[in-house]
């Protein structure tokens, strides 16, 4: 299911949500443009700034340079593997980020986003420490935003696009149902392989759990309650 919009109002402008979207798009355009410069330039860029679990393990044990192994834990969340990867991540960030930023405050939201991204990367590293496959994407950090949204806005309704056999239809679901379903899919996929199908499932799970846990340490900035109606 694809979320289209939610009904939880935001009282402030989601400044850093849009900054993060612009930064991610800008970096991807630069990354994409490298493919027209020299052969292998794009691959070299990804290899330098993506998380490679075996390289991180080497940095910890001393067989790899410390900076080369650990700096990508931060930079990898701003890289993407393709247009659909980028668009999907930025779409989810746009829908759920504004309310979480409103709840945390602007600068705290930025720190929260980066923190969730780091924890997500560590979760994937622990799940598959010997992998030599580069890990890229903001998915783990955005999963943290979704986890926080689940805790703070469980009764909000999310309008989603749902495939029914050969047609697509729009339905409104409680946020807790839509986000719990999403998390269950990640867990089921993750237990079938640490990076099955080229997706870092445990980064998603780790980021989601981190976001839900971190938001619980912060007091509510405002109360919001959904009045339930039929339809």
């Amino acid at each position: 299911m694809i979320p289209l919009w939610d009904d939880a109002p935001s009282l402030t402008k989601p400044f850093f949500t849009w900054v993060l979207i612009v930064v991610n798009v800008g970096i991807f355009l630069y990354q994409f443009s490298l493919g027209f410069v020299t052969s292998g330039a794009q691959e070299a860029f990804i290899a330098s700034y993506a998380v490679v679990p075996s390289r991180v393990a080497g940095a910890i044990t001393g067989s790899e340079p410390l900076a080369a192994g650990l700096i990508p834990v931060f930079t990898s969340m701003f890289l993407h593997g393709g247009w659909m990867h980028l668009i999907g991540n930025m779409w989810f960030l746009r829908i759920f980020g504004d309310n979480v930023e409103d709840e945390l405050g602007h600068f705290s939201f930025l720190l929260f986003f980066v923190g969730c991204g780091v924890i997500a990367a560590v979760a994937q590293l622990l799940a598959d420490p010997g992998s030599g496959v580069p890990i890229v994407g903001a998915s783990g950090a955005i999963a943290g935003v979704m986890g926080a949204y689940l805790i703070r806005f469980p009764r909000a309704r999310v309008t989603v696009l749902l495939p029914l056999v050969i047609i697509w239809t729009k339905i409104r679901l409680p946020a807790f149902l839509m986000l719990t379903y999403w998390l269950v899919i990640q867990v089921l996929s993750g237990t079938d392989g640490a990076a099955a199908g080229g997706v870092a499932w445990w980064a998603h799970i780790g980021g989601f759990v981190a976001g839900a846990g971190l938001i619980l340490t912060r007091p509510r900035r405002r109360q919001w309650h959904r009045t339930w109606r039929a339809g």
Side-chain angles (χ1 to χ4, degrees), residues 36-133:
F36 301 100
V37 178
T38 57
S39 177
Q42 186 173 164
E43 291 76 9
F45 178 76
I46 292 174
S48 296
Y49 295 104
V51 167
V52 179
S54 59
R55 188 187 300 162
V56 175
I60 294 172
T61 59
S63 60
E64 294 273 358
L66 188 62
L70 298 185
I71 288 177
V73 172
F74 295 90
T75 58
S76 64
M77 69 183 81
F78 298 100
L79 305 178
H80 287 84
W83 285 104
M84 294 309 296
H85 188 202
L86 173 73
I87 292 169
N89 276 346
M90 296 305 101
W91 186 259
F92 272 71
L93 179 57
R94 184 194 69 82
I95 292 174
F96 299 109
D98 61 337
N99 297 110
V100 177
E101 181 172 352
D102 191 32
E103 182 71 10
L104 289 173
H106 301 302
F107 189 65
S108 292
F109 173 76
L110 178 62
L111 295 178
F112 171 88
F113 182 90
V114 174
C116 287
V118 169
I119 294 172
V122 171
Q124 186 63 35
L125 291 170
L126 293 175
D128 195 12
S131 173
V133 178

Side-chain angles (χ1 to χ4, degrees), residues 153-158 172-179 228:
F153 304 95
R155 295 174 66 82
R157 282 192 175 182
V158 181
R172 290 195 302 164
L173 295 174
F176 76 85
L177 181 60
M178 181 260 163
L179 293 172
W228 289 93

Side-chain angles (χ1 to χ4, degrees), residues 142-172:
I142 295 168
V145 173
M146 294 163 65
Y149 189 100
L150 175 63
I151 297 299
R152 285 293 196 256
F153 304 95
R155 295 174 66 82
R157 282 192 175 182
V158 181
T159 299
V160 301
L161 196 60
L162 187 69
L164 294 177
V165 189
I166 60 172
I167 63 171
W168 291 77
T169 187
K170 289 189 296 184
I171 63 172
R172 290 195 302 164

